[in-house]
Amino acid sequence: MKWELIPRRNVVPATNMVLFEASGDQGINFTDPMFARTIIYRYDMDPKGALNDIVPQLIWKRNAQQVWADFSERFGIPLVSAETSITDAKELKRIETMMRQLGRAAQAVLPEGAKITIHDAATKGDPHKVFLEQITITNNEIGKRIVGGTMLTDDGSSLSQSEVHERTLDEKIGESDRRMIEFTVNGKLIPILNTWGFGFKEGDRFVFDRSEDLTMAEHWDIVSDALTHYEIDAEWVSRRFNIPIVGKKETTSAASIIPTALSKNFR
């Protein structure tokens, strides 16, 4: 079977519609039983999902970037003004031409009495911090919503804290995603496959492997502790730890050793 993801731009979760054209109004209702054998859909009770939290942050981020770009275009090159007591229109026109050239050439020949002032607005008020701080905050908010923290994507100075963030991502957010996939596969995909003749047996289920990886030493400690309480297959122990076991070692109990030792000492 061939499966394809329906383009997100054509899906309208709020109305359960798949539009034939992204900007159109004609489509199909993907919850209709008619499409139960061909379409798998899954969404939270809130049809907006994570976008409801992310989109406002994206809007503020783009606003900050746009305003920062406008600021750079307007004040990135300092404003240059000239003052003069000359009133002759021809001389004023010549000074204006020189001032236009001054923005690129950074040099000009002006008549006596003309004063040039360079206004550097970019160094006042620390606009770099204003815009960058807003963009950084929105990135952090988006990162928290998606991966549950910021140290996996932005801040990575502390190993211990980043490991906590990693565990949060794997054990909480990752586990939630795994459960969602299991429910979708077992509740929707396998029944659809059965209707198309794939022949899954009753009780067949898809599950993720949640077994944990242990070091050989940690595993040996667990098995050693279990051996004091339970009988464990020697062949399995030999195969698991690559130990050639030829037989069971005979042990002498303390109850039989102590009387023998006492009798020797008092003979």
Side-chain angles (χ1 to χ4, degrees):
M1 301 183 71
K2 182 179 180 181
W3 298 86
E4 293 183 359
L5 180 66
I6 297 177
R8 297 299 178 91
R9 62 180 180 273
N10 291 73
V11 180
V12 185
T15 58
N16 298 334
M17 294 293 292
V18 175
L19 303 178
F20 299 135
E21 297 181 357
S23 57
D25 57 359
Q26 300 295 321
I28 63 172
N29 189 318
F30 55 77
T31 61
D32 194 312
M34 181 186 305
F35 306 105
R37 299 178 63 205
T38 55
I39 294 179
I40 293 179
Y41 65 90
R42 194 267 173 196
Y43 55 78
D44 295 323
M45 297 301 294
D46 181 6
K48 302 181 184 63
L51 289 179
N52 195 39
D53 302 323
I54 294 174
V55 168
Q57 299 296 334
L58 291 176
I59 293 175
W60 282 110
K61 178 180 178 179
R62 292 183 179 180
N63 286 343
Q65 290 176 321
Q66 182 62 50
V67 175
W68 197 357
D70 293 340
F71 182 90
S72 300
E73 182 179 2
R74 183 174 300 180
F75 301 109
I77 300 177
L79 174 66
V80 181
S81 63
E83 301 175 7
T84 180
S85 58
I86 298 175
T87 59
D88 182 66
K90 185 177 180 180
E91 285 296 317
L92 291 176
K93 186 66 176 177
R94 188 167 70 89
I95 293 175
E96 180 182 358
T97 302
M98 293 180 180
M99 293 300 298
R100 290 181 182 275
Q101 296 175 349
L102 182 61
R104 299 177 182 177
Q107 59 183 357
V109 179
L110 301 176
E112 184 179 358
K115 177 183 177 183
I116 296 178
T117 304
I118 299 178
H119 307 271
D120 191 2
T123 60
K124 298 179 180 180
D126 198 1
H128 175 273
K129 182 177 181 180
V130 172
F131 298 120
L132 186 59
E133 284 291 332
Q134 184 173 348
I135 294 173
T136 301
I137 291 175
T138 55
N139 284 340
N140 290 342
E141 293 300 317
I142 294 173
K144 292 174 183 177
R145 183 62 179 86
I146 298 297
V147 299
T150 60
M151 297 199 70
L152 297 179
T153 56
D154 300 316
D155 305 323
S157 58
S158 173
L159 176 61
S160 58
Q161 291 181 351
S162 62
E163 288 177 345
V164 172
H165 284 238
E166 182 183 13
R167 287 196 298 270
T168 300
L169 174 62
D170 184 58
E171 298 176 6
K172 293 185 178 180
I173 300 178
E175 178 60 22
S176 176
D177 291 340
R178 285 189 287 270
R179 291 182 60 195
M180 179 270 292
I181 294 173
E182 288 177 349
F183 293 155
T184 303
V185 171
N186 295 320
K188 295 185 176 182
L189 177 59
I190 290 180
I192 287 180
L193 293 176
N194 275 335
T195 62
W196 289 98
F198 276 74
F200 283 91
K201 299 178 181 179
E202 184 178 356
D204 287 346
R205 298 183 60 80
F206 168 79
V207 294
F208 281 96
D209 183 7
R210 292 178 172 83
S211 60
E212 298 183 3
D213 294 330
L214 299 175
T215 65
M216 190 66 70
E218 292 172 338
H219 197 180
W220 175 254
D221 291 339
I222 296 174
V223 174
S224 298
D225 184 61
L227 284 170
T228 61
H229 302 282
Y230 307 100
E231 291 289 340
I232 299 179
D233 185 10
E235 182 180 353
W236 177 87
V237 176
S238 176
R239 184 175 62 255
R240 178 65 184 86
F241 297 99
N242 195 24
I243 301 175
I245 299 178
V246 297
K248 187 175 181 181
K249 182 179 179 180
E250 296 184 1
T251 58
T252 305
S253 64
S256 62
I257 295 176
I258 294 175
T260 303
L262 290 175
S263 62
K264 291 180 180 181
N265 291 335
F266 287 98
R267 182 175 299 175

